[in-house]
Amino acid sequence: MTEEQTPIIVWFREDLRICDNEALWEAANSETPVLCVYVHDQESPGVRPLGGAALWWLHGALRDLDEKLLGLGNGLAIFRGMAIELIPRIAQEFGASAVFWNRRYGAAERRIDAEIKATLRGQGKTAKSFSGNLVNEPWTLETTEGGPFRVFSAYWRAARTIGTPPHPLPPPRRLGPHRGSRGSAVGRVELDELGLEVSQPDWASGLRQSWSRGETGAQATLERFLEYGFHTYATERDRPDRSVTSQLSPYLRFGNISARAVWHAALMSSASRTEQGVERNLEKFLSELGWREFSYHLLYHFPDLAHRSYRPAFEEMPWRHDAADLNAWRKGRTGYPLVDAGMRELWHTGWMHNRVRMVVASFLTKHLLIDWRKGEEWFWDTLVDADQASNSASWQWVAGSGADAAPYFRIFNPVLQGEKFDPDGTYVKRWLPELAGLPASLINRPWEASTSQMAAAGMVLGETYPRPIVDHGYGRLRALEAVKKLA
Ligand code: FAD
């Protein structure tokens, strides 16, 4: 095989890994040189540009992928521009015989991929897509009536009848080198030229301390979870004060690990365990992967998930437009400690515990009666795992506007949620050091502290920590009244 031979292009997108990557595997086994390509496309109409935290993640994931590919004999060629123009042009320029990729599921992405496929075939080239992001492709599951699922439990029952997914593929042993992985070409850039790694102002230092990005980080994170979190997953996954959940979400989001690989690793780990509750932990964990799959099922069948309420009645909701309240929520200055701790965790690490995500989302859409889309947008910009399916589906679930949504009248009480899921206040104290001096019984209700308790804790309500921006009872009733008026 020579570097001059006709290559197969592997177009990486949300599958930034070498293990269990069907498109890469097929290309590597073809006995032709492989040209690995990534197109940084923030311009294509309809494709939602990535938010700041996700862009930061992308930098690390691309660097890691490039290193891994170089280890196989062939680095990553990065391009900037619109994929719809670049992919056929790159294929022509390098005389590629075929372009392979793993599928994406957003409406705009599917449209672009279909157009590219048609163009490539028009050029006489092969264009082939594979399954890489999900355990089950979204169209493979349907109700007995032949339609999409709207309820998670029914979806998951159907998904579980399919049985164990195929074993993940190993990384290819070697990639036939191609000259295109070096040298210049129109649109070709170096990773650093994309300017994804922030420096001034350096808001990403907390992110950097919190994560090791890319496939290397994914493997380490998975191993850590299986060793330290998995055995109490079912009973403790709702506790933000314990590091029990896997924290694999950004890795799954960028495909630094495949859902199939995570599934099999959990299966293998539970098979080798003898402690009580193994089956429960496994089932619970797999069902959370199932929520991710269900979110993609919803996105596939309801492409406007990020922009339109799934339940049309919610489009008439009298949302409040209160910039000051929205800002207080974003900054973690609502006066409700669990909400504020979550929002500061998000800002610092780019991630937030699931239970707390539910509480902060409920607080925004119910207590503050602010449109779920405002919250979704903030999460989109600040989460390292910002995902077009899971983020919109979860926001709509909490707001009550989604398929299989939490009933609107179930309004989380942020004080009781804090007391139940962070009983010693460990989580709140970690993110709100200004409350650390309060006893645990007051940590979620600092306004009830006496003058002497506040003094002893070095806290001045309204100065060192805000008063609640809305009364819980009042906010709850206002939300209930608003929803009652919907058709
Ligand atoms: P684990 O508990 O270890 O679960 C394993 C994996 O399952 C996760 O990595 C994730 O991929 C998936 N998963 C778990 N819970 C859910 C869920 N409820 N919905 C969909 N997938 C799930 N998740 C995202 O990946 N991206 C988002 O943008 C996102 N936005 C959210 C917004 C709101 C308002 C809410 C309430 C939830 C959101 N979630 C999102 C879902 C969930 O909070 C995160 O997936 C989870 O907290 C990630 O932590 P983990 O990896 O430790 O999860």
Side-chain angles (χ1 to χ4, degrees):
M1 201 189 302
T2 75
E3 293 199 0
E4 301 302 318
Q5 254 177 283
T6 301
I8 290 181
I9 291 177
V10 176
W11 176 20
F12 285 86
R13 298 105 65 84
E14 297 181 343
D15 53 343
L16 306 179
R17 63 173 183 273
I18 59 164
C19 293
D20 196 28
N21 188 323
E22 278 193 42
L24 181 67
W25 178 258
E26 283 287 320
N29 288 333
S30 65
E31 302 295 319
T32 33
V34 178
L35 176 56
C36 297
V37 166
Y38 181 81
V39 176
H40 187 58
D41 179 0
Q42 292 273 78
E43 306 155 37
S44 281
V47 174
R48 192 173 186 183
L50 296 182
L55 287 171
W56 173 82
W57 189 280
L58 179 64
H59 181 96
L62 288 175
R63 194 189 47 218
D64 186 68
L65 177 65
D66 183 40
E67 281 166 14
K68 290 213 149 39
L69 290 172
L70 278 170
L72 298 177
N74 222 344
L76 183 67
I78 299 177
F79 292 79
R80 177 168 42 202
M82 299 225 290
I84 210 157
E85 289 166 8
L86 279 172
I87 291 293
R89 198 200 297 165
I90 299 165
Q92 283 291 58
E93 190 168 334
F94 293 108
S97 60
V99 183
F100 292 174
W101 63 76
N102 293 309
R103 290 180 202 110
R104 310 180 283 188
Y105 307 96
E109 289 83 352
R110 282 193 283 135
R111 182 180 41 73
I112 290 168
D113 292 354
E115 277 186 44
I116 293 177
K117 206 175 240 184
T119 311
L120 290 169
R121 286 181 179 162
Q123 292 173 347
K125 300 182 190 305
T126 304
K128 218 165 152 191
S129 61
F130 298 85
S131 158
N133 194 20
L134 299 171
V135 173
N136 293 306
E137 296 295 55
W139 53 87
T140 54
L141 284 160
E142 43 182 39
T143 61
T144 40
E145 290 82 41
F149 285 97
R150 287 157 205 278
V151 178
F152 174 72
S153 51
Y155 170 84
W156 190 233
R157 263 196 309 278
R160 289 303 271 137
T161 61
I162 296 178
T164 309
H167 278 278
L169 297 164
R173 262 190 290 139
R174 202 176 152 267
L175 293 175
H178 186 261
R179 64 180 166 82
S181 62
R182 300 179 306 276
S184 60
V186 180
R188 175 90 193 260
V189 290
E190 292 303 319
L191 175 57
D192 287 339
E193 288 175 58
L194 295 179
L196 309 176
E197 192 72 74
V198 279
S199 53
Q200 280 183 338
D202 183 13
W203 51 261
S205 62
L207 275 63
R208 235 172 271 125
Q209 285 158 22
S210 311
W211 301 98
S212 159
R213 295 164 281 176
E215 192 169 7
T216 312
Q219 287 301 337
T221 305
L222 175 62
E223 280 160 30
R224 196 172 53 235
F225 166 64
L226 293 175
E227 187 161 353
Y228 301 110
F230 192 38
H231 65 290
T232 54
Y233 186 78
T235 48
E236 295 197 326
R237 60 174 288 277
D238 271 326
R239 295 279 303 261
D241 55 342
R242 310 260 165 96
S243 292
V244 162
T245 67
S246 70
Q247 300 207 311
L248 281 168
S249 50
Y251 301 102
L252 284 162
R253 156 67 182 85
F254 284 92
N256 303 149
I257 193 164
S258 73
R260 207 154 61 167
V262 175
W263 184 297
H264 273 278
L267 209 61
M268 267 176 56
S269 170
S270 60
S272 65
R273 288 167 180 270
T274 50
E275 77 261 5
Q276 272 202 327
V278 179
E279 272 307 306
R280 233 177 111 216
N281 290 328
L282 177 67
E283 272 314 306
K284 191 70 206 155
F285 183 66
L286 296 183
S287 78
E288 295 309 321
L289 292 176
W291 272 102
R292 175 174 179 271
E293 301 268 316
F294 180 55
S295 301
Y296 274 96
H297 181 78
L298 291 176
L299 176 72
Y300 180 78
H301 290 289
F302 187 70
D304 239 1
L305 204 59
H307 307 291
R308 220 154 34 87
S309 297
Y310 191 93
R311 294 176 189 215
F314 269 76
E315 290 301 290
E316 304 305 317
M317 188 71 140
W319 300 114
R320 292 170 64 243
H321 302 278
D322 189 318
D325 279 2
L326 178 60
N327 208 28
W329 176 82
R330 284 176 174 169
K331 295 240 158 79
R333 307 229 6 116
T334 67
Y336 285 92
L338 186 62
V339 174
D340 294 343
M343 298 308 289
R344 296 203 208 164
E345 178 181 31
L346 173 62
W347 184 250
H348 187 79
T349 69
W351 186 87
M352 194 196 298
H353 187 277
N354 180 60
R355 169 60 45 178
V356 191
R357 290 189 202 204
M358 291 197 284
V359 174
V360 304
S362 169
F363 188 83
L364 184 78
T365 55
K366 296 175 183 178
H367 288 87
L368 298 182
L369 205 61
I370 289 179
D371 195 332
W372 61 265
R373 281 162 280 230
K374 296 282 178 208
E376 196 274 346
E377 277 166 24
W378 183 248
F379 271 31
W380 182 260
D381 200 28
T382 51
L383 276 173
V384 285
D385 64 24
D387 179 288
Q388 59 169 329
S390 300
N391 199 32
S392 348
S394 302
W395 269 96
Q396 294 223 39
W397 184 87
V398 177
S401 66
D404 194 16
Y408 197 83
F409 54 81
R410 196 180 295 156
I411 297 177
F412 284 123
N413 178 330
V415 175
L416 299 183
Q417 287 284 308
E419 289 173 349
K420 184 167 178 194
F421 295 110
D422 180 31
D424 308 323
T426 310
Y427 175 77
V428 164
K429 285 182 195 170
R430 191 181 310 149
W431 296 108
L432 304 179
E434 63 269 44
L435 298 184
L438 283 177
S441 59
L442 288 171
I443 203 115
N444 279 289
R445 45 182 92 227
W447 55 88
E448 288 182 11
S450 64
T451 320
S452 59
Q453 282 170 317
M454 285 196 202
M459 180 208 149
V460 184
L461 197 63
E463 285 183 27
T464 59
Y465 185 69
R467 295 175 194 284
I469 59 171
V470 63
D471 173 70
H472 164 65
Y474 169 78
R476 184 174 176 281
L477 277 181
R478 181 173 63 185
L480 290 175
E481 285 303 315
V483 82
K484 250 193 248 161
K485 293 189 190 127
L486 298 181

